[in-house]
Amino acid sequence: MLVPIFTLKLNHKINPRMVTVGKFDGVHPCLTAATQAGKVFIHNPHARGQRPVAHRLSQSAQDSDISLLNINQAVTCLTAGTLGPNTTGDTLLVGSQTNLLAYDVHDNADIFYREVADGANAIVLGKLGGIPNPLAIIGGNCALQGFDYAGNDHFWTVTGDNVRSLVLCDFTGDGKNELLVGSEDFDIRVFKEDELVSEMTENEIDARSDRTGEVIFKDNFSSSVAGVVEGDYRLDGQKQLICTSTDGEVRGYLPASKELKGNLMDSSAEQDLIRELSQRRQNLLLELRNYEENAKGVSETNSGMGVIPANTQLKTALSVRPATETQKAHIELNISTANETIIRAVLIFAEGIFEGESHVFHPSAQNLSGCVRVPIVPPKDIPVDLHIKAFVGGRISTQFHVFEITRQLPRFSMYDIPVDSSAAPPTGRVTFSINDRPQRVVMWLNQNFLLPEGLDCPNITFNALRGGGLLSISMASNGQITLRTDDIDLAGDLVQSLASFLAIEDLSAEADFPAYFEDLHTTLTEVDEFHSVHQKLTATMADHSNYIRNMLVQAEDARLMGEMTTMKKRYRELYDLNRDLINEYKIRSNNHNALIACLKSVNQAIQRAGRLRVGKPKNQVISACRDAIKSNNINALFRIMKAGTASS
């Protein structure tokens, strides 16, 4: 239970997810947040009367406790913490779509200002793995980048999609921090420095008690929550939970003392408890009545009102169903009983498959039977646990027994063995060697695909039901495995899955995906063109800015000298130039957005090339690809993606 201990009303809006607390003088905690018009406000009620000096920092006109930091760009993320070894207090880090600023608030000075081509959507500050110094790690356009106190780039890797959240914590329990990355593709990835050690998919995450799962505290703001941080804002030795709203409201909370907890339950909480107990009483009465009716039915008519045979079992089966004229390709979940009982309804809970994560199948009374078929269409290749609850009873039953069973949907379930093998073979391939028996590969196939019984050979061809095309898997006698598919993402998923199953730590591979690499080559050409256009537009806008400056001077001179005709002429020219500047800005903005999209594709290509390998070879490919892009060596880039090395 939390108790509100202070409330502030700041006269500044707060951007969502851009709130932090920093001790910029080493002593006093200051609430810091991004606000409107490319500014960051710093609230410091502990040092009233201390006016900031010039440079970026200025005093707020609305609140004497607030200083404003002018960024002059839309702020996308910020944080504060210890970055340098000899700094007085915390360093403030502010990210935008093009730059990262490290700022010393105490001395009112820039520490470094770096351009970040991939943007900065999220930021975290701290130590990562065995890297000795703290890093400011930013997540942007499918890329992660870490800077030290001097602004040097000490960490870089790619991830699957645009980064939205970052956390440093000891995920593996080895005493060193790993980097947890949340991205737009609903994946949470764990990096041990530049090595991906874990990956999981989450569609939603709840914050509740870690012991009981219940909501432990609830409060309401007049506007949406902008951020939640912690800090000793009252300087009384206790850290408070500090919540901020987008309207600038700030509330601090502390855990309630044992003496107060019994007196803090207000009327709404009491009503919630009474409502919960009433519902529990109603459920118990209903359950008792069902037992009484079952017993009455057995004793009077022996008709089995709700009673089912003792040997009743619920069976499940999964099978692949190709597309037909009336139904698209899907996985069929068959749920059945082996006797005369019927299935009245089925509830299926599965994360990431059904809208709302649940599906209810309720056949009409005329179509009741002991078998139910439910179509399932997984959106991507991930293993999913299907939690099934089936209501089973007799045909005239009014009460039903609930059977619960869990069945796992294999990761690559949307692949079927084709009946017609006349389709064109894939041109893409990845080849690698393993030191393992073919039977182990067969075990992996049976665990991850829906296969017919009796498969004893690792050489097999599938038809991709979701995206179309063929997938071919073959293994030679010397342990060389060749995966043939035109989908480079699928190839990477297969490599990672097989390596995990066989416990392979390092795996190098050779790959060639002609169609994909051709598209990538086109994208790289477009990147060069967009960079060239960007430079030309920047130069043109600079020239126009100089013209505007000169015309303003000439117009003011003409006004002071009373030459109204000349003044009007200059202001008309200024109007035309301003219109041209606005049009050029729109062109530049569109060019920048197109460039960002292309850079995202390039970063994703590097990530995909890395996923065709495992362990050290994977990290070497990602690092070498980045070096090739930095040096603009396109030929080396494609050699690395294909062979895993830049040497020809």
Side-chain angles (χ1 to χ4, degrees), residues 68-81:
L68 294 175
L69 180 65
N70 295 304
I71 305 300
N72 298 323
Q73 295 185 67
V75 178
T76 55
C77 60
L78 60 77
T79 191

Side-chain angles (χ1 to χ4, degrees), residues 467-575:
L470 295 179
L471 163 65
S472 173
I473 303 174
S474 61
M475 181 176 182
S477 58
N478 60 356
Q480 185 181 77
I481 293 180
T482 302
L483 309 177
R484 296 187 181 275
T485 175
D486 290 325
D487 187 344
I488 191 172
D489 288 314
L490 172 59
D493 289 342
L494 291 167
V495 170
Q496 297 299 315
S497 175
L498 180 58
S500 176
F501 181 83
L502 299 178
I504 298 174
E505 295 183 356
D506 297 311
L507 181 67
S508 59
E510 294 184 359
D512 188 18
F513 293 85
Y516 180 77
F517 288 155
E518 183 63 30
D519 291 341
L520 178 59
H521 193 279
T522 302
T523 300
L524 291 169
T525 303
E526 291 175 350
V527 168
D528 289 338
E529 294 173 354
F530 288 136
H531 275 303
S532 177
V533 172
H534 175 77
Q535 292 172 356
K536 292 178 181 178
L537 289 173
T538 302
T540 302
M541 291 184 72
D543 291 340
H544 283 181
S545 298
N546 292 330
Y547 293 152
I548 288 174
R549 196 176 299 114
N550 293 333
M551 285 185 183
L552 274 173
V553 174
Q554 294 175 21
E556 283 300 295
D557 287 346
R559 184 183 66 82
L560 293 173
M561 295 174 65
E563 299 175 359
M564 295 298 115
T565 303
T566 303
M567 183 193 74
K568 290 179 181 179
K569 180 181 178 181
R570 293 291 177 259
Y571 276 117
R572 280 196 299 268
E573 292 173 349
L574 273 171
Y575 177 81

Side-chain angles (χ1 to χ4, degrees), residues 264-572:
L264 287 175
M265 186 176 295
D266 56 16
S267 59
S268 62
E270 291 178 355
Q271 291 174 2
D272 290 341
L273 181 59
I274 293 172
R275 191 181 303 111
E276 180 185 350
L277 292 174
S278 298
Q279 183 65 42
R280 191 180 302 175
R281 175 178 177 272
Q282 187 70 20
N283 292 339
L284 290 172
L285 288 173
L286 181 62
E287 186 175 352
L288 179 61
R289 188 174 66 189
N290 287 339
Y291 283 126
E292 291 174 348
E293 291 184 1
N294 287 342
K296 180 181 178 181
V298 172
S299 61
E300 291 183 357
T301 66
N302 199 28
S303 62
M305 294 287 289
V307 179
I308 61 175
N311 63 348
T312 302
Q313 292 183 341
L314 194 69
K315 297 181 179 180
T316 62
L318 293 168
S319 56
V320 184
R321 292 289 182 262
T324 63
E325 294 181 356
T326 58
Q327 195 172 24
K328 62 182 181 180
H330 62 277
I331 306 301
E332 184 178 274
L333 172 62
N334 187 299
I335 307 170
S336 62
T337 60
N339 51 29
E340 68 278 6
T341 55
I342 57 97
I343 300 175
R344 190 65 185 88
V346 173
L347 283 76
I348 305 174
F349 301 90
E351 187 175 358
I353 291 184
F354 305 116
E355 185 177 354
E357 299 188 3
S358 63
H359 178 73
V360 178
F361 187 83
H362 197 285
S364 62
Q366 295 81 11
N367 297 318
L368 293 177
S369 69
C371 181
V372 169
R373 295 179 177 87
V374 181
I376 298 174
V377 183
K380 56 183 180 178
D381 295 330
I382 54 173
V384 178
D385 287 332
L386 304 174
H387 302 282
I388 304 165
K389 294 185 178 182
F391 293 65
V392 179
R395 289 191 173 274
I396 59 174
S397 296
T398 56
Q399 291 88 36
F400 297 89
H401 291 257
V402 179
F403 284 74
E404 297 188 19
I405 190 170
T406 299
R407 179 72 185 264
Q408 187 178 71
L409 190 66
R411 179 172 186 176
F412 303 104
S413 55
M414 287 291 285
Y415 297 86
D416 188 22
I417 298 177
V419 178
D420 181 13
S421 59
S422 61
T427 57
R429 62 167 182 82
V430 56
T431 303
F432 53 91
S433 296
I434 63 172
N435 295 319
D436 223 317
R437 298 173 290 111
Q439 289 76 12
R440 292 269 291 159
V441 179
V442 172
M443 290 174 61
W444 168 75
L445 286 170
N446 280 288
Q447 187 179 95
N448 289 273
F449 292 82
L450 291 174
L451 299 175
E453 295 183 1
L455 179 71
D456 57 359
C457 177
N459 302 326
I460 191 170
T461 299
F462 296 96
N463 182 31
L465 301 182
R466 190 184 298 109
L470 295 179
L471 163 65
S472 173
I473 303 174
S474 61
M475 181 176 182
S477 58
N478 60 356
Q480 185 181 77
I481 293 180
T482 302
L483 309 177
R484 296 187 181 275
T485 175
D486 290 325
D487 187 344
I488 191 172
D489 288 314
L490 172 59
D493 289 342
L494 291 167
V495 170
Q496 297 299 315
S497 175
L498 180 58
S500 176
F501 181 83
L502 299 178
I504 298 174
E505 295 183 356
D506 297 311
L507 181 67
S508 59
E510 294 184 359
D512 188 18
F513 293 85
Y516 180 77
F517 288 155
E518 183 63 30
D519 291 341
L520 178 59
H521 193 279
T522 302
T523 300
L524 291 169
T525 303
E526 291 175 350
V527 168
D528 289 338
E529 294 173 354
F530 288 136
H531 275 303
S532 177
V533 172
H534 175 77
Q535 292 172 356
K536 292 178 181 178
L537 289 173
T538 302
T540 302
M541 291 184 72
D543 291 340
H544 283 181
S545 298
N546 292 330
Y547 293 152
I548 288 174
R549 196 176 299 114
N550 293 333
M551 285 185 183
L552 274 173
V553 174
Q554 294 175 21
E556 283 300 295
D557 287 346
R559 184 183 66 82
L560 293 173
M561 295 174 65
E563 299 175 359
M564 295 298 115
T565 303
T566 303
M567 183 193 74
K568 290 179 181 179
K569 180 181 178 181
R570 293 291 177 259
Y571 276 117
R572 280 196 299 268

Side-chain angles (χ1 to χ4, degrees), residues 53-66:
V53 294
H55 193 47
R56 291 182 183 268
L57 213 56
S58 61
Q59 196 76 32
S60 170
Q62 293 96 342
D63 194 329
S64 61
D65 292 339
I66 290 180

